[in-house]
Amino acid sequence: MDITGNQPQDAQDQALLAFLAAQRDAVLSIVAGLDEEVWRRSVVPSGWTPAGLVEHLGGASPMSRVAGPI
């Protein structure tokens, strides 16, 4: 589906959306087993946490409008 909820007509659009869905699934599988402490702890100089990164990615993705929150 595109941002408006319509099925993409173009093969390129379909391929891109399939790629985005696969990437979303990969991120979800990576963070699925994290406990609350790890979910909220930053281990990088930028201060990003896994929770913050997933929230950021979800807000930036057209799939977030289709698939709902992560």
Side-chain angles (χ1 to χ4, degrees), residues 11-61:
Q12 253 184 330
D13 290 346
Q14 290 175 345
L16 176 59
L17 290 175
F19 174 78
L20 291 173
Q23 294 300 305
R24 179 180 184 270
D25 290 344
V27 169
L28 290 175
S29 70
I30 290 167
V31 300
L34 297 180
D35 63 32
E36 187 66 26
E37 178 188 349
V38 175
W39 183 245
R40 303 272 176 217
R41 181 180 51 196
S42 173
V43 295
V44 294
S46 66
W48 282 93
T49 64
L53 179 62
V54 169
E55 181 179 0
H56 174 73
L57 292 173
S61 168

